[in-house]
Amino acid sequence: MILSEALGEIKTIFLDTAPVIYFIEAHHQFGPLVRQVIELMNKNRIQAVTSVLTLSEVLPKPVETGNDALAEKFKTYLKNGPNLTLLPITEIIGESAGVLRGKYPHLKTVDAVQIATALDAEADAFLTNDIKLSGIKEIKIIVLKDYLVATGISHRT
């Protein structure tokens, strides 16, 4: 299956941290896949959401390396990107994340919070590159690595 087919019925998608990084940094492998989602967002075909946790996950590396321009690019995109909403983490999301961690003991807190935020936002799918999230049943998980073969891009990380 190609990514555009997987996105066919999706109206709202949650962007996990890795896809945001791939898009902003124009990752050679995964950037083109994320660009497909961004193009649908730009055409008002898909609404995207992510949480403030994504902001906290993308900033450490640019700050650590002194790359202020990249840090600003991340902040600007996440706060003002077209058809992208940056969502707060609420008490309800915290509770839902705890329930998810109970159901899926392998689930890290950060991933549980992201998925709980997606569920709270009633997103149709969760875009990630974390294969370990594939077993989550509460929301459609779209793992970018699964679509590399269809693009002809090699599966190197």
Side-chain angles (χ1 to χ4, degrees), residues 3-4 6-15 36-49 82-84 124-125 142:
L3 184 57
S4 60
L7 297 170
E9 299 297 316
I10 305 299
K11 300 291 182 217
T12 303
I13 194 162
F14 185 96
L15 302 180
Q36 291 178 38
V37 177
I38 302 301
E39 287 172 3
L40 292 172
M41 290 165 56
N42 290 341
K43 293 176 182 175
N44 295 315
R45 177 44 200 89
I46 287 182
Q47 173 66 40
V49 295
N83 290 318
L84 175 62
D124 300 309
I142 299 175

Side-chain angles (χ1 to χ4, degrees), residues 12-13 21 28 43 47-49 52 56 59 61-62 69 77-78 80 83 95 100 110 119 124-125 128 134 136-137 144:
T12 303
I13 194 162
I21 293 170
H28 72 282
K43 293 176 182 175
Q47 173 66 40
V49 295
V52 294
S56 71
L59 290 177
K61 196 63 164 177
Y77 182 71
L78 288 170
N80 305 306
N83 290 318
E95 185 175 324
L100 285 167
V110 67
L119 293 170
D124 300 309
T128 187
S134 295
I136 304 298
K137 303 294 182 221
L144 291 169

Side-chain angles (χ1 to χ4, degrees), residues 133-155:
L133 301 181
S134 295
I136 304 298
K137 303 294 182 221
E138 287 77 0
I139 189 169
K140 179 178 183 167
I141 304 291
I142 299 175
V143 179
L144 291 169
K145 288 176 189 170
D146 293 344
Y147 299 92
L148 284 180
V149 174
T151 63
I153 301 169
S154 67
H155 192 297

Side-chain angles (χ1 to χ4, degrees), residues 64-80:
E64 179 185 324
T65 60
N67 192 340
D68 296 337
L70 183 58
E72 281 304 313
K73 196 171 181 180
F74 278 122
K75 288 191 285 188
T76 298
Y77 182 71
L78 288 170
K79 293 177 184 181
N80 305 306

Side-chain angles (χ1 to χ4, degrees), residues 74-137:
F74 278 122
K75 288 191 285 188
T76 298
Y77 182 71
L78 288 170
K79 293 177 184 181
N80 305 306
N83 290 318
L84 175 62
T85 303
L86 189 62
L87 300 170
I89 298 168
T90 64
E91 181 180 327
I92 292 169
I93 289 169
E95 185 175 324
S96 178
V99 170
L100 285 167
R101 290 197 65 221
K103 287 179 76 173
Y104 304 98
H106 70 281
L107 197 58
K108 295 178 188 172
T109 298
V110 67
D111 294 325
V113 170
Q114 293 286 64
I115 292 167
T117 305
L119 293 170
D120 187 66
E122 299 180 356
D124 300 309
F126 186 92
L127 184 68
T128 187
N129 208 20
D130 189 341
I131 194 81
K132 292 176 287 200
L133 301 181
S134 295
I136 304 298
K137 303 294 182 221

